[in-house]
């Protein structure tokens, strides 16, 4: 399993709902958590590793030592957004090194299933709310460059051109991670 960088087409796929939490889903979640910690990320969505399923892993502290802040979410839905918009710095593991301000709702109410198949509902604010919104966007093929606004986007152009050039280079060499044919 490998993190796919922009502009890999797997990042634009609309993820399918998970219908059964089997050993493969559990294995995918464990591997995604490991990758996320290894890259010092706060969250990782299944499309970022080439799986078109509605699976997210998060740790709002980004810290192995704080497992209580770890969350694996299956078929998550943001049911309510409130508290206005906050503009703050944000990055994404599929855009290494790129950080821009993005407006996100201060508070969200989310519903999801955990790995035991239990339905959960929680209210998240500030950084945790930002991570939820960013990761749920991934499941719809939406990336932070789509929601960062024109100023952030124009400031990102140089990085985006570099990502595109690297992608084309890897494609020519036949080194692209497959991504899209991975199925669960
Ligand atoms: Ni991301």
């Amino acid at each position: 399993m490998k993190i796919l960088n922009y502009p890999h087409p797997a990042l634009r796929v609309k993820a399918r709902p998970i219908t059964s939490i089997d050993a493969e889903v559990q294995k995918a979640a464990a591997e995604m958590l490991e990758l996320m910690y290894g890259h010092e990320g706060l969250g990782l969505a299944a499309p970022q590793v080439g799986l078109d399923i509605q699976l997210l892993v998060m740790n709002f502290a980004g810290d192995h030592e704080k497992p209580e802040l770890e969350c694996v979410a299956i078929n998550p839905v943001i049911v309510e957004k409130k508290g206005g918009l906050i503009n703050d710095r944000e990055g994404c593991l599929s855009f290494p090194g790129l950080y821009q301000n993005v407006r996100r709702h201060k508070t969200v109410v989310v519903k999801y299933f955990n790995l035991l198949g239990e339905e959960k509902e929680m209210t998240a604010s500030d950084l945790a709310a930002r991570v939820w919104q960013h990761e749920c966007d991934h499941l719809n093929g939406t990336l932070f460059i789509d929601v960062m606004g024109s100023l952030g986007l124009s400031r990102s152009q140089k990085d985006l051109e570099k990502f595109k050039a690297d992608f084309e280079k890897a494609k020519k060499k036949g080194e692209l991670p497959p991504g899209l044919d991975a199925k669960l």
Side-chain angles (χ1 to χ4, degrees):
M1 187 183 274
K2 194 174 180 309
I3 295 178
L4 306 176
N5 284 355
Y6 174 85
H8 197 292
L11 297 171
R12 292 302 191 181
V13 164
K14 218 171 143 44
R16 296 175 292 123
I18 291 174
T19 50
S20 132
I21 304 169
D22 56 17
E24 279 192 275
V25 170
Q26 295 186 1
K27 184 166 172 273
E31 287 184 24
M32 284 168 62
L33 276 169
E34 204 172 300
L35 265 183
M36 178 189 83
Y37 288 124
H39 289 81
E40 294 177 357
L42 301 178
L44 186 64
Q48 292 180 276
V49 295
L51 301 174
D52 66 336
I53 50 170
Q54 294 182 12
L55 171 65
L56 305 177
V57 298
M58 294 172 276
N59 183 316
F60 308 116
D63 189 349
H64 257 308
E65 306 296 313
K66 291 185 176 155
E68 72 276 13
L69 295 175
E70 188 174 286
C71 177
V72 174
I74 290 163
N75 302 344
V77 187
I78 294 176
V79 291
E80 199 183 341
K81 296 176 178 176
K82 50 191 184 184
L85 292 165
I86 304 216
N87 200 22
D88 206 352
R89 202 170 134 89
E90 197 171 301
C92 177
L93 290 177
S94 293
F95 296 77
L98 178 62
Y99 296 90
Q100 291 294 344
N101 278 3
V102 180
R103 283 188 178 81
R104 300 282 187 188
H105 287 273
K106 180 177 170 60
T107 299
V108 291
V109 181
V110 289
K111 272 190 180 169
Y112 63 96
F113 292 87
N114 67 13
L115 277 175
L116 300 172
E118 299 164 338
E119 192 170 21
K120 298 279 176 184
E121 179 172 325
M122 68 172 280
T123 300
S125 288
D126 302 309
L127 179 61
R130 177 168 295 276
V131 177
W132 273 108
Q133 289 167 87
H134 178 114
E135 301 308 333
C136 285
D137 273 356
H138 272 300
L139 300 181
N140 289 311
T142 299
L143 303 171
F144 80 145
I145 53 171
D146 304 329
V147 293
M148 67 174 47
S150 53
L151 183 62
L153 193 57
S154 70
R155 285 178 174 156
S156 306
Q157 277 318 306
K158 231 177 131 179
D159 293 87
L160 298 185
E161 291 310 318
K162 172 88 168 60
F163 290 131
K164 285 178 192 165
D166 288 348
F167 180 81
E168 289 306 322
K169 235 184 273 171
K171 199 157 90 177
K172 269 191 195 132
K173 284 192 196 158
E175 286 172 357
L176 268 196
L180 282 175
D181 29 74
K183 286 272 181 283
L184 271 180

